[in-house]
Amino acid sequence: GCCHDYVAQHRILFEGIQARANIQVDVIWTRDKSAKPALPLFENPDWAKGYDIVIHDECAALNENARLMENILKAHETIPSVQLHCAMHSFRGRGNSRETFTAKGHHDWCKRIGLLSTRHGPHVPVSVEIVDAEHPITKPLKDWVTGKEELYNNAEIYDAEPLAMGTQTYMKNGKEITDAAIVAWVNTKSGALSFSTSLGHYNEVVESDEYLDLVTRGTLWACGKLDDPDYHTPYTGTNAVREIELKTPAE
C-alpha cells in the first residue's frame, strides 16, 4: 500500500525475523502505492489456512470491502496475528471523518487490534519506554530512542494491554509539544492472541535491532513459541515470496 518503502521493508522484516527465530516467514506483497491496494489474498475465506500466525503490514486506509474484512476477522478467531504500523490505519474506508473511523468494518478491525488510532505526529524521533517489564515479550528488552518516526495516537483503547509507551517532542507554532501514546501492546480478548506495534514507518526503524527483536518476540509469543528454545535459533530453510502483479487501468 501507500506511504512506505515496502520494496525494502518486506525483505528487512522476513530476513530480520528469520535471523532471530526458527520461523518460516512467507510473504505476499505488492508495489501498489495507493491507499486502496489490491488485496486478492483475503478474497478466499481460507486465506490463512495452514499458517500458525499472520503478520499484517498493510497500508490500505481507503479499503472498505466488507467481505475482505469479514474473511480477515473470521480467520483471526483462531489464528493469531501481528499488526505493524499502518495496519492500525487500514480498512477505514472513504476518508478521515469521525464517522469513517467508527464505521463497523474499521471498528471491528480496531477491536481485534485492541485500540483505535486516527492520526500520527510529525516525523521526529520517538522515545520508547517499556512499561510492562514483566511481560514475556518485553522482559529482556530495554528502552530506546528511534530515528525519525511517526507516533500514532490512541483515540480509543479497548482491550489493549500496553507493553511500551512512546513520547515525541517537537515545536509547533513556537511552542514545545510533547505527545505520548501506547506504541506496543497485546490483546488477549478478541479472538486469537494478537501483538501490535504502531512503530515502523521508516526503514531505519524497521531494520533496527530494537524493532526486530520486539516484533520477533511478539510473533513468537502470539503463536505460543516464546518459551520454546527450539524457536530461538535462526531459520535455515527457504521461504516463499510472491509479488502481486500490478494491473493496468484496462485490466
Side-chain angles (χ1 to χ4, degrees):
C2 77
C3 313
H4 307 90
D5 182 9
Y6 288 125
V7 175
Q9 286 186 17
H10 83 276
R11 183 165 294 278
I12 293 169
L13 282 164
F14 83 71
E15 289 181 348
I17 294 170
Q18 291 183 161
R20 288 165 169 77
N22 190 17
I23 304 175
Q24 176 183 326
V25 184
D26 290 343
V27 181
I28 298 178
W29 72 289
T30 175
R31 296 178 194 270
D32 188 337
K33 293 183 178 295
S34 73
K36 195 176 182 179
L39 300 170
L41 170 69
F42 302 133
E43 293 174 2
N44 178 359
D46 293 326
W47 64 273
K49 188 176 181 179
Y51 284 93
D52 301 295
I53 192 163
V54 174
I55 300 173
H56 288 278
D57 199 17
E58 305 92 341
C59 194
L62 299 186
N63 187 291
E64 56 182 345
N65 189 316
R67 187 180 74 259
L68 295 191
M69 180 50 52
E70 182 179 341
N71 287 346
I72 292 170
L73 293 173
K74 183 67 176 177
H76 290 312
E77 289 177 3
T78 56
I79 299 174
S81 67
V82 169
Q83 289 72 224
L84 305 179
H85 193 56
C86 201
M88 268 51 84
H89 288 176
S90 289
F91 308 116
R92 63 194 186 197
R94 300 178 186 275
N96 294 334
S97 68
R98 185 66 181 176
E99 290 74 19
T100 296
F101 283 119
T102 56
K104 183 177 181 355
H106 183 62
H107 183 261
D108 289 348
W109 174 240
C110 293
K111 289 282 286 185
R112 161 68 193 161
I113 292 169
L115 61 77
L116 167 69
S117 177
T118 58
R119 61 176 176 82
H120 63 75
H123 293 163
V124 298
V126 173
S127 295
V128 180
E129 178 189 3
I130 304 299
V131 294
D132 187 350
E134 295 305 312
H135 194 280
I137 294 174
T138 48
K139 197 165 187 176
L141 304 182
K142 305 296 182 184
D143 300 348
W144 86 96
V145 179
T146 72
K148 190 167 60 170
E149 179 58 301
E150 292 178 342
L151 180 65
Y152 280 20
N153 75 332
N154 305 148
E156 292 186 40
I157 299 172
Y158 306 118
D159 293 315
E161 301 172 29
L163 303 180
M165 295 290 296
T167 57
Q168 192 178 58
T169 300
Y170 56 95
M171 298 300 295
K172 184 176 181 179
N173 299 326
K175 295 182 179 180
E176 185 176 88
I177 306 294
T178 298
D179 294 329
I182 303 168
V183 294
W185 64 95
V186 297
N187 186 6
T188 63
K189 299 179 180 178
S190 299
L193 294 178
S194 169
F195 165 79
S196 302
T197 177
S198 58
L199 300 171
H201 183 77
Y202 287 102
N203 293 359
E204 177 185 353
V205 175
V206 176
E207 66 189 3
S208 69
D209 288 336
E210 292 91 348
Y211 186 82
L212 288 170
D213 288 348
L214 175 67
V215 170
T216 302
R217 291 185 65 83
T219 303
L220 287 171
W221 171 84
C223 57
K225 304 299 185 183
L226 188 55
D227 293 329
D228 189 334
D230 290 342
Y231 285 85
H232 289 269
T233 58
Y235 175 69
T236 57
T238 59
N239 65 321
V241 180
R242 178 163 68 89
E243 180 178 352
I244 300 171
E245 295 296 328
L246 291 176
K247 292 184 177 181
T248 66
E251 295 176 303

